[in-house]
Amino acid sequence: MITGAHVLFYSTDADADRAFLRDAFEFPSVDAGGGWLIFALPPAEAAVHPAGARFGMDEHGKSMLGSILYLMCDDVEAEIARLAKRHVHCAPVSQERWGRRTSFTLPSGQEMGLYQPQHPTAVNLAKTKIKKSKAARRTSVKATRRSKRTKR
C-alpha cells in the first residue's frame, strides 16, 4: 500500500530554500538530522503533462521523472497578500483556462508556482477513499461477528 509521496526539490542553496519554505509558508517539518528539514505538505494531486523531450535528471544511469510544483490555494490574490507580508514577491497573476497562476522566486533563484484552480480537483479523493475503506472494513467486521453469533 502506498502511504504517501515524497517530493524532492533540487537546489543550489538548499539551506536558504528550506528556511524560506519554513518561514514563508510555515509548513510543519521534522529535522532528519543536521538541519535537513522534511516538510509536511498540504494534500496534493498529480497530473501527467506531455513533453517534447525527457524532463528530469539522471540518477544511477536511469532517467528520473521530472516535475514542476505548483502550490494550490483557494484565493490567489489573498495568498499573494499574505506572502507579501513575509517579503515574498509574486509575479503578476495570469488567467489560464485551468486557473489563476503566479510564481515566486526561492532564495536559490528557482521559481515555484502558485495557483488557484478553476477545475475539479482531486485533493480530497484519497481522504474519501480512506473513509470509505474504513467504513467498509467496519461493516465487514460487524457482519462477520453477526455471522459467528448466528452459527452458535
Side-chain angles (χ1 to χ4, degrees):
M1 172 193 330
I2 302 297
T3 60
H6 185 92
V7 179
L8 307 175
F9 300 126
Y10 288 90
S11 171
T12 56
D13 193 347
D15 289 335
D17 286 352
R18 287 181 196 124
F20 176 85
L21 291 172
R22 179 195 63 218
D23 299 341
F25 290 96
E26 300 178 319
F27 291 147
S29 64
V30 296
D31 189 326
W36 192 294
L37 301 179
I38 298 177
F39 296 97
L41 296 177
E45 60 184 25
V48 179
H49 291 248
R54 287 183 182 249
F55 181 82
M57 67 173 280
D58 289 333
E59 186 171 292
H60 303 291
K62 299 199 181 212
S63 178
M64 297 296 289
L65 179 65
S67 62
I68 295 175
L69 178 69
Y70 274 84
L71 299 174
M72 298 167 64
C73 63
D74 293 332
D75 182 338
V76 74
E77 280 82 8
E79 189 62 20
I80 290 170
R82 189 187 74 78
L83 290 169
K85 291 177 184 174
R86 291 182 166 79
H87 309 289
V88 177
H89 174 75
C90 292
V93 175
S94 296
Q95 177 65 53
E96 307 294 343
R97 66 175 176 70
W98 41 268
R100 299 174 48 72
R101 74 175 171 100
T102 185
S103 63
F104 52 89
T105 306
L106 296 168
S108 63
Q110 300 268 167
E111 292 285 312
M112 187 177 285
L114 172 68
Y115 91 112
Q116 176 183 339
Q118 295 175 323
H119 58 78
T121 64
V123 294
N124 291 318
L125 292 180
K127 289 180 185 177
T128 302
K129 184 177 179 180
I130 290 168
K131 285 180 184 176
K132 285 182 180 178
S133 177
K134 285 181 180 178
R137 280 193 300 264
R138 281 193 302 270
T139 301
S140 175
V141 167
K142 288 178 183 176
T144 302
R145 287 179 184 157
R146 277 193 302 269
S147 174
K148 286 180 181 178
R149 281 192 298 245
T150 306
K151 290 180 182 178
R152 290 183 191 164

